[in-house]
Amino acid sequence: KLVGNTELDADVSISNKITLDLDDKTIETKGNTISIAATGDLTVTGNGIVNNNTEATVETVNGTEVKVRYTMFAVDAGGKLTIENGTFTTKAAQIVYTYGSTTIRGGTFKNTSTNTSKETVDALNSGALIVVCGTPASLTMTDGTVTTESQYLYGVFVRDGGNAIFGDEETKNGPSIHTHRYAAIGENNTMATANITIYGGEYTVSTVPASDAWKPFCATIYASASGEINIHGGTFTGYYAISDRYEKVEQTVTITGGTFNGAEADLYVTSEGGKGTTTNRIIAIAGGTFGHKPDATYIATGYVAKDNNNGTWTVSEKTNVTLVAQVGVNKYETLADALAAAKNGDTVTVLDDVTTEMLTIPADKTLTLNTNGKSITNNSGNYAINNLGTL
């Protein structure tokens, strides 16, 4: 528990379980880092202030320029960081860089740099206030506010197998993330898989791009890496709501809810090739309200965009048909259609009692059939499914 304001004169490493009660006091880090080791477990509470007043820089080491971003909290793989509340401000880039497990339940996170020198711009370029990096790395952010004054910073950046969850699944509440130019939540196709799930919150990018080169980045979500992006709620406001730039990155984007307010477009999709794979992305919209009519190409099977007659469209299930089977978010009027659409390894869930002709599982498919308590009745023979593949 802090009994007075203090400064860090060196890096601090935490290797056991500690609660840091700021007690409304202030820690000035002076560019030093609080590290949580693989055995460490740090909880920060007490509504105090942690500030870094040292600007990000670019230094030359052995002839190579190195960006120095003065991370405030660094979490090693296996380490745990929990932030309950408080104010965390920096003139550099990274307030949290996690290879381990980070949970943010509240607090204010803000970049305060107004320095426009080349060194600072280069150091901040493509940086972020919160970075989730590595296959074991995770961020769960159910509340809090992230704000970047610099136009060169993402709010949260997920990379190299990192997994980030925003908002609460039950309440659909979530954080507020506001950036100036780069996306509120970003990833990059030159890096490995990033997985992002959003249940709620507000995500805003304020800049109108000055040139075409900036357009893809002026989105609340810059979706460009392999992996999954699942959006179940939240409000997304920017030049684009979502920018999905690369076609062949083995990515799945699923939208089942949320409000999308892109000034130019809600979903900006380009056909650039991407890097490292030949597998096409999959975009499926099965819910949500949009300020532009969604392209039918990306609306999930069994769903339709309805005009609300107020300049918005809401995507919901079709109401004039009976949907009897489901694969992912896609819903089908016949079990035959669902089995035909299912990819190797998929699960087909029966939604209603089905009467059908004989169905065939192709020899090249292995599927799981979840009968879900429903019946499948063959109206012309002794059995309903001809299993050439594996079911």
Side-chain angles (χ1 to χ4, degrees), residues 71-376:
T71 302
M72 183 177 288
F73 294 97
V75 187
D76 290 346
K80 296 180 180 179
L81 170 65
T82 301
I83 296 177
E84 301 281 0
N85 49 51
T87 299
F88 306 87
T89 51
T90 182
K91 286 188 175 180
Q94 291 153 186
I95 292 178
V96 176
Y97 199 110
T98 183
Y99 291 95
S101 173
T102 295
T103 300
I104 298 175
R105 299 193 178 108
T108 299
F109 305 82
K110 188 174 183 179
N111 169 267
T112 58
S113 176
T114 56
N115 190 334
T116 57
S117 69
K118 180 180 184 300
E119 289 78 11
T120 301
V121 168
D122 286 348
L124 294 178
N125 190 39
S126 298
L129 283 190
I130 299 172
V131 179
V132 187
C133 181
T135 300
S138 67
L139 168 70
T140 300
M141 188 172 187
T142 55
D143 206 344
T145 300
V146 177
T147 306
T148 65
E149 297 291 340
S150 171
Q151 61 182 324
Y152 303 101
L153 284 173
Y154 292 98
V156 179
F157 194 83
V158 189
R159 56 174 292 184
D160 295 335
N163 183 68
I165 298 173
F166 301 89
D168 182 86
E169 184 174 3
E170 291 185 5
T171 67
K172 296 298 187 289
N173 294 327
S176 173
I177 302 179
H178 173 82
T179 56
H180 184 67
R181 176 179 285 174
Y182 283 138
I185 302 172
E187 52 184 28
N188 196 293
N189 76 303
T190 63
M191 301 171 185
T193 302
N195 296 307
I196 297 166
T197 301
I198 302 174
Y199 292 111
E202 296 183 359
Y203 307 87
T204 308
V205 179
S206 61
T207 297
V208 175
S211 66
D212 288 346
W214 284 109
K215 286 182 177 181
F217 300 99
C218 296
T220 53
I221 301 174
Y222 180 59
S224 61
S226 62
E228 295 186 2
I229 297 178
N230 296 296
I231 302 173
H232 306 290
T235 301
F236 306 85
T237 304
Y239 187 74
Y240 301 123
I242 301 173
S243 172
D244 199 315
R245 189 173 182 180
Y246 298 104
E247 183 177 17
K248 295 183 180 297
V249 291
E250 201 167 352
Q251 179 192 77
T252 300
V253 178
T254 304
I255 300 171
T256 63
T259 301
F260 301 86
N261 302 310
E264 181 66 20
D266 298 322
L267 180 61
Y268 172 72
V269 180
T270 70
S271 57
E272 295 179 57
K275 191 171 185 177
T277 180
T278 58
T279 304
N280 288 344
R281 68 186 161 212
I282 298 171
I283 301 173
I285 303 174
T289 299
F290 300 82
H292 299 78
K293 185 178 181 179
D295 189 327
T297 304
Y298 306 116
I299 295 178
T301 303
Y303 292 80
V304 65
K306 298 179 180 179
D307 190 342
N308 297 320
N309 297 316
N310 60 1
T312 68
W313 286 259
T314 298
V315 175
S316 57
E317 282 187 26
K318 293 179 178 178
T319 57
N320 57 342
V321 297
T322 300
L323 301 170
V324 301
Q326 180 172 353
V327 181
V329 295
N330 296 292
K331 297 184 177 181
Y332 299 88
E333 297 177 44
T334 71
L335 182 55
D337 288 343
L339 292 169
K343 294 181 175 57
N344 189 46
D346 280 349
T347 295
V348 178
T349 301
V350 182
L351 302 176
D352 202 351
D353 294 340
V354 176
T355 299
T356 180
E357 303 292 336
M358 186 177 72
L359 304 170
T360 298
I361 309 302
D364 60 347
K365 283 187 181 180
T366 296
L367 303 177
T368 297
L369 180 65
N370 178 5
T371 57
N372 194 31
K374 310 301 181 182
S375 65
I376 303 173

